[in-house]
Amino acid sequence: MLSKFWFISLFFIFTHQIHAQIDSLQRKNYTAVATQKAPIIDGVLDDQAWNKVPVANNFVMYYPGDGNPIPESHKTTVKVVYDNNALYIAATLIDKNPEKIVKQFTQRDNLEQSDYFQVDINTYDDGENQIRFAVTAAGTRADAKITGENTDFGFNIVWDAAVSQDQNGWYVEMRIPYAALRFPESKEQEWGIQFLRQISHKNESYTWNYVNKAVGQMSQQTGLISGIRNINPPTRLSFYPYTSAEVDRFDGETETNFNAGLDVKYGISKAFTLDMTLVPDFGQTAYDDVELNLGPFEQIFGENRAFFTEGTELFTKGDLFYSRRVGNTPIGFNNAQREKLENEEILENPERTDLLNALKVSGRTERGLGVGFFNAVTAETKAIFRDTLTGNNREKVTEPLANYNILVLDQRFNKNSSISLINTNVTREGHFRDGNVTGFLFDVFNKSNSFNVTGEAKMSNVNLPGQNETGFASEFSLNRTKGNFRYGISHELANETYDINDLGISFTNNYNNFYLNTSYQIFEPSGIFNQYSVELYGNHQRRYRPDINVASGGGASVFAMTRDRFAFGGFAEVNSAFKDFFEPRRGNTFITYQPNITGNAWISSDYRKKLALDIRSTYQVFGENSRESFNFIFKPRVRISNKFLVIYGFEYDNEINRPSFVTLQPHDIIFGNRDMRSFENSLQANYNFTTRQGLNLSFRNFWSVAQFEEDKFSKLNKDGSLSAVNYNPEENYNPDANFNIWNLDLSYRWQFAPGSEAILLYRNSIFNQDELSDLDFQQSMDNLFARPARHNISLRIVYYIDYNRVKNIFNS
């Protein structure tokens, strides 16, 4: 039955003929002019290079309206020239009320609420894989790589820009070196290009080439730039040597460390780039938002290491790459904790493995074939035990020398469709677990961009000593993607041995789930609204083997934004009883949770104002046992000046009477009724002296207590119900928990040269976890500050070296 469903859906997509074409104006074309003398990038458009150059004008509204001409009061013109080294862009952005131009000083890649000018360049004009360059009215630069709907601001390249302002408006000059772009070797270049102007005080944005928001993506509706002739791709080779020093003091002991290393970027060919990190140092990456985790799954953290966030869009195909696996907790860490003998103490059991080196190669050919290769090597990690009777030490390998690699092939066609093949592999030295996953993916639109069909088929293989398991998973979806009214259906399936957790992240397997949705949205202002959308959705979840019902549910959500940029929304859901096969922590068992109703509401005020506010609240109530949960988030933000921004965050969670796992016994699984409260306070403050120098403060305190009701412990029955059991936490395992963590970062960042920066960072952190769940907040904080605090100060300097500039210096 399922195979017939797939076939009918695919047949519909490929045979359905739509006579209506994309509603767009004729594609604009700009002819660039060569210059013998490059303009000085100072934001003042008085260079001879800008004389007698064609003008790109007649901008039209992108948001909130649809194609309305830009008013004369904000007339916008753009000029483009080039030489043998770079592309130069000048923009004149008229504003009859220059005092209203929003200029907020921020650091790189942070546009905040400022007015800005943006350029998107697609050197292969394929509707995909374009580079974005943006400059705010304050002079902040931002760059990103755009792949489909994904915008990656972790992608950083070296380019230059400057701004100026007078009584008529503001002006931008940009220099984009060819070393920052990949383009084909041809006599004349023809690139996709789009210019965009954001006018923040009017809450409006305008583009040079018209973009129909109801059809396709912005990247598929660029204009064209031609006339760039007889330029040769330069040698794309750059070095980022770094040095760092730190002093760490904890529990009366002081350690000092000095590190040095090198990152390299090399253009292997006109289309492919090699990124390599040698002796990496991740000492100044941001803290993870660690919480008290009593669930069956590990906590997921975002990636804070630049090497794993820059230019990784190819490697994320199929969601098979969770970069935190590389350099994560050793695979044998927990076993080492459990295998400690009665007369032993653990001297060392590292929680992280060291990354020795990593590289990635990625690029896309003129025919649209994207190729990506990733490889990383982590060091052997050992736990050290000491016999307290004899004084002898013994070692146990918790993670051997390991190799992680990914290979991706991604063929784009028709500017918005693709088929992909990806393989991930983890090989560990010796008799340890190895993993391999292969996935085939497709993402296809019809000619009018009105329908989209996507699918994935993935196979995993896990090799353990004396054991080999192969698993399978698939996904399929069919969606209407054009117009105000849209709808879609999807299906997900995985067998009971599907496992991608050596290099990916997957919490569940053995499922057979169905989803449907329908929505209505507007693309032009209507009444008091600039935007609004309403969605209805539903799901039916089943076990794959044996084929049994797990849960069903449905709901509705709403999103709206007024003309004054006040946003609000929420959702409401009704869910049936749910069979949870993972909370019991033992195979082929489940606990049945009762039906529930969940509601959520939120508001977000106008960020352009000095004071703005985000509030969100969620409430969930279950059918019986008085179980309920409540979440509340309060997040005000104050822009004290154009240089100083403060954001405070408060979050409260309260979960009452939840049947929760306690421990495993030889024949029983023990559950208890748990109450859990959490408080999180956070503060972010940024003071920017200029767009290249700034102070940043980041603070977070998270406190959580989990308390199980006395004399209300149960054992799990085969039918998923619970029955009373005698269990004494004092004689067995006590599941109560008091968790408190405090992190503070204070840093000074100085971008002293293009691509080069120095960061001075002070860190203060304290952590405590115990079983004292009856403590109040003040008592818990007293206990926390009785623990030793870690004080860390570090300095890291990175310097950018461009091979072409060094070569020219020596040649001259």
Side-chain angles (χ1 to χ4, degrees):
M1 183 66 184
L2 184 60
S3 61
K4 290 182 179 179
F5 170 76
W6 280 45
F7 177 79
I8 293 172
S9 301
L10 286 170
F11 180 81
F12 173 78
I13 285 294
F14 289 109
T15 60
H16 187 65
Q17 298 298 319
I18 304 292
H19 292 292
Q21 299 299 313
I22 298 174
D23 298 325
S24 65
L25 301 177
Q26 184 177 0
R27 189 182 193 190
K28 291 183 177 180
N29 192 326
Y30 182 90
T31 303
V33 175
T35 181
Q36 298 300 317
K37 185 178 181 180
I40 298 172
I41 306 301
D42 56 7
V44 180
L45 312 188
D46 58 358
D47 303 88
Q48 185 178 354
W50 303 122
N51 296 336
K52 299 180 181 179
V53 175
V55 175
N57 54 15
N58 298 325
F59 279 56
V60 294
M61 184 174 283
Y62 172 66
Y63 177 87
D66 184 33
N68 304 323
I70 193 169
E72 282 295 315
S73 61
H74 290 81
K75 184 177 179 180
T76 301
T77 59
V78 182
K79 296 179 180 181
V80 182
V81 299
Y82 71 95
D83 61 15
N84 291 327
N85 300 307
L87 194 71
Y88 304 89
I89 300 172
T92 300
L93 305 114
I94 299 299
D95 197 317
K96 295 301 183 182
N97 300 109
E99 70 279 359
K100 292 185 177 181
I101 297 172
V102 182
K103 295 192 299 182
Q104 186 172 347
F105 286 80
T106 55
Q107 296 297 299
R108 181 167 181 164
D109 292 334
N110 187 357
L111 299 174
E112 269 295 335
Q113 304 308 306
S114 294
D115 284 29
Y116 63 84
F117 174 72
Q118 175 180 296
V119 181
D120 289 352
I121 299 177
N122 188 326
T123 54
Y124 289 93
D125 194 26
D126 60 359
E128 287 284 327
N129 301 293
Q130 56 193 35
I131 308 299
R132 174 165 294 171
F133 304 88
V135 187
T136 72
T140 297
R141 291 170 299 144
D143 46 19
K145 188 166 187 177
I146 315 297
T147 306
E149 296 180 348
N150 178 51
T151 302
D152 177 16
F153 278 100
F155 177 83
N156 289 322
I157 50 183
V158 177
W159 56 289
D160 198 13
V163 300
S164 67
Q165 184 177 333
D166 61 20
Q167 70 276 10
N168 295 317
W170 64 291
Y171 310 88
V172 179
E173 277 186 310
M174 305 167 67
R175 180 185 186 272
I176 302 172
Y178 298 139
L181 303 171
R182 306 174 189 177
F183 52 89
E185 292 180 355
S186 58
K187 186 175 181 180
E188 180 176 354
Q189 303 290 326
E190 288 192 342
W191 301 343
I193 197 165
Q194 181 70 280
F195 307 115
L196 179 144
R197 179 183 181 181
Q198 172 70 26
I199 308 172
S200 289
H201 73 90
K202 291 173 66 67
N203 192 30
E204 295 175 353
S205 58
Y206 294 84
T207 58
W208 174 58
N209 198 75
Y210 170 73
V211 177
N212 187 342
K213 293 175 291 186
V215 182
Q217 301 163 3
M218 185 177 182
S219 62
Q220 300 158 15
Q221 303 180 57
T222 61
L224 188 71
I225 185 169
S226 57
I228 304 174
R229 297 184 178 91
N230 301 318
I231 63 170
N232 295 314
T235 302
R236 293 186 291 115
L237 176 61
S238 56
F239 304 92
Y240 297 81
Y242 80 86
T243 182
S244 67
E246 69 171 336
V247 179
D248 186 89
R249 182 169 178 79
F250 179 71
D251 202 15
E253 297 184 2
T254 301
E255 293 184 1
T256 59
N257 292 294
F258 176 82
N259 292 301
L262 177 69
D263 288 353
V264 179
K265 291 181 180 292
Y266 174 58
I268 300 173
S269 68
K270 61 186 179 182
F272 294 93
T273 300
L274 165 69
D275 291 276
M276 181 181 298
T277 180
L278 305 173
V279 196
D281 172 35
F282 302 122
Q284 289 192 337
T285 54
Y287 279 115
D288 293 322
D289 291 340
V290 181
E291 299 180 356
L292 175 61
N293 182 13
L294 301 179
F297 308 120
E298 65 183 291
Q299 186 181 352
I300 294 180
F301 301 110
E303 181 57 80
N304 299 317
R305 300 169 294 180
F307 180 83
F308 293 96
T309 60
E310 293 181 7
T312 58
E313 69 283 347
L314 272 176
F315 304 107
T316 59
K317 294 282 184 179
D319 296 323
L320 299 178
F321 179 37
Y322 175 50
S323 59
R324 293 297 295 264
R325 291 284 183 228
V326 184
N328 202 358
T329 304
I331 195 171
F333 173 82
N334 291 327
N335 288 337
Q337 297 287 108
R338 291 190 292 263
E339 292 176 10
K340 179 174 70 72
L341 301 179
E342 183 176 352
N343 59 325
E344 284 186 329
E345 61 179 353
I346 299 178
L347 297 181
E348 293 183 22
N349 189 18
E351 296 184 5
R352 294 287 182 268
T353 55
D354 291 331
L355 178 64
L356 297 179
N357 57 68
L359 64 85
K360 56 181 184 277
V361 177
S362 61
R364 193 172 293 274
T365 69
E366 294 180 49
R367 296 182 178 272
L369 176 63
V371 180
F373 175 74
F374 169 90
N375 187 267
V377 178
T378 56
E380 180 183 73
T381 308
K382 295 180 179 179
I384 302 177
F385 304 85
R386 179 180 178 272
D387 191 312
T388 57
L389 299 179
T390 66
N392 295 330
N393 292 347
R394 71 177 178 93
E395 297 179 343
K396 178 180 177 59
V397 175
T398 56
E399 177 82 28
L401 184 73
N403 182 272
Y404 301 79
N405 66 70
I406 306 172
L407 177 63
V408 188
L409 301 175
D410 176 61
Q411 179 65 58
R412 308 295 308 184
F413 56 96
N414 294 338
K415 289 196 173 183
N416 58 357
S417 300
S418 69
I419 55 173
S420 309
L421 183 69
I422 180 170
N423 176 265
T424 70
N425 184 80
V426 180
T427 301
R428 297 181 175 91
E429 188 178 51
H431 299 289
F432 276 80
R433 170 181 167 130
D434 298 330
N436 186 282
V437 183
T438 299
F440 171 74
L441 306 84
F442 60 88
D443 183 1
V444 180
F445 288 82
N446 63 349
K447 289 184 178 180
S448 62
N449 278 333
S450 57
F451 283 92
N452 167 250
V453 59
T454 65
E456 299 180 2
K458 296 176 281 192
M459 184 167 290
S460 67
N461 182 267
V462 176
N463 193 342
L464 293 162
Q467 184 180 358
N468 190 291
E469 288 188 343
T470 298
F472 175 80
S474 68
E475 297 180 19
F476 178 82
S477 68
L478 172 65
N479 293 282
R480 167 77 173 180
T481 55
K482 180 180 179 180
N484 302 96
F485 180 66
R486 304 187 181 194
Y487 48 85
I489 56 174
S490 60
H491 174 258
E492 299 176 348
L493 179 143
N495 71 356
E496 66 276 19
T497 54
Y498 179 67
D499 186 352
I500 63 171
N501 286 307
D502 290 276
L503 193 48
I505 185 77
S506 176
F507 290 150
T508 62
N509 57 14
N510 200 4
Y511 54 78
N512 185 17
N513 302 332
F514 300 84
Y515 305 89
L516 58 87
N517 69 85
T518 182
S519 65
Y520 180 84
Q521 59 187 310
I522 63 170
F523 298 98
E524 294 185 62
S526 176
I528 65 170
F529 296 106
N530 272 346
Q531 293 176 263
Y532 69 77
S533 64
V534 180
E535 182 181 12
L536 300 176
Y537 52 88
N539 69 83
H540 176 63
Q541 303 175 50
R542 304 189 65 81
R543 193 81 162 161
Y544 172 68
R545 186 176 296 170
D547 180 21
I548 59 175
N549 176 55
V550 172
S552 295
S557 68
V558 61
F559 166 84
M561 181 178 288
T562 69
R563 292 177 182 266
D564 295 326
R565 275 179 64 168
F566 178 81
F568 63 91
F571 68 83
E573 292 181 355
V574 178
N575 297 294
S576 70
F578 173 63
K579 296 182 178 68
D580 190 332
F581 285 84
F582 297 93
E583 178 71 11
R585 274 79 152 178
R586 183 172 284 172
N588 299 317
T589 60
F590 65 90
I591 179 173
T592 301
Y593 289 120
Q594 297 303 310
N596 68 85
I597 299 174
T598 305
N600 167 279
W602 61 270
I603 61 171
S604 180
S605 66
D606 187 352
Y607 281 14
R608 296 173 300 176
K609 296 183 177 180
K610 294 288 186 181
L611 174 63
L613 186 64
D614 292 307
I615 300 177
R616 181 181 297 268
S617 182
T618 305
Y619 180 71
Q620 185 177 40
V621 61
F622 288 76
E624 57 184 55
N625 297 330
S626 301
R627 180 186 171 187
E628 59 183 353
S629 64
F630 175 73
N631 170 268
F632 176 74
I633 298 174
F634 176 74
K635 199 169 186 179
R637 52 192 294 143
V638 183
R639 193 170 72 250
I640 299 172
S641 71
N642 284 337
K643 294 185 176 183
F644 194 12
L645 175 68
V646 178
I647 303 173
Y648 169 71
F650 171 78
E651 182 170 357
Y652 171 69
D653 280 285
N654 190 13
E655 191 174 40
I656 300 172
N657 211 30
R658 182 188 191 276
S660 301
F661 172 84
V662 174
T663 190
L664 293 174
Q665 292 185 338
H667 302 291
D668 292 323
I669 304 174
I670 304 301
F671 272 70
N673 282 5
R674 184 184 76 201
D675 293 344
M676 186 171 176
R677 289 177 298 138
S678 300
F679 292 87
E680 180 178 272
N681 288 278
S682 64
L683 183 69
Q684 291 182 321
N686 310 107
Y687 185 86
N688 296 293
F689 305 102
T690 68
T691 59
R692 298 175 187 268
Q693 294 185 66
L695 287 172
N696 298 281
L697 172 68
S698 178
F699 163 77
R700 176 179 181 263
N701 172 235
F702 179 85
W703 172 59
S704 184
V705 291
Q707 190 169 34
F708 285 76
E709 294 185 56
E710 296 182 4
D711 303 324
K712 285 194 176 181
F713 292 94
S714 310
K715 68 175 181 179
L716 181 64
N717 300 317
K718 290 184 178 180
D719 63 357
S721 63
L722 298 170
S723 57
V725 68
N726 291 324
Y727 180 82
N728 188 343
E730 295 181 359
E731 297 177 357
N732 297 280
Y733 166 70
N734 185 355
D736 289 350
N738 168 55
F739 180 98
N740 210 329
I741 190 168
W742 163 295
N743 291 321
L744 183 146
D745 281 11
L746 177 62
S747 67
Y748 168 73
R749 181 186 295 264
W750 175 32
Q751 298 177 41
F752 58 86
S756 306
E757 65 179 10
I759 303 174
L760 180 64
L761 172 67
Y762 166 72
R763 280 184 161 167
N764 173 249
S765 60
I766 319 173
F767 170 72
N768 181 56
Q769 182 171 354
D770 52 43
E771 299 173 356
L772 304 178
S773 60
D774 57 340
L775 299 182
D776 61 26
F777 178 75
Q778 185 59 54
Q779 292 170 324
S780 180
M781 291 300 291
D782 291 341
N783 278 8
L784 176 68
F785 285 110
R787 302 287 297 173
R790 181 179 298 278
H791 300 272
N792 182 284
I793 187 167
S794 61
L795 174 65
R796 189 173 195 266
I797 300 173
V798 180
Y799 191 75
Y800 167 72
I801 301 173
D802 179 21
Y803 164 80
N804 295 289
R805 180 166 295 183
V806 173
K807 180 182 67 174
N808 291 337
I809 291 173
F810 279 104
N811 287 341
S812 62

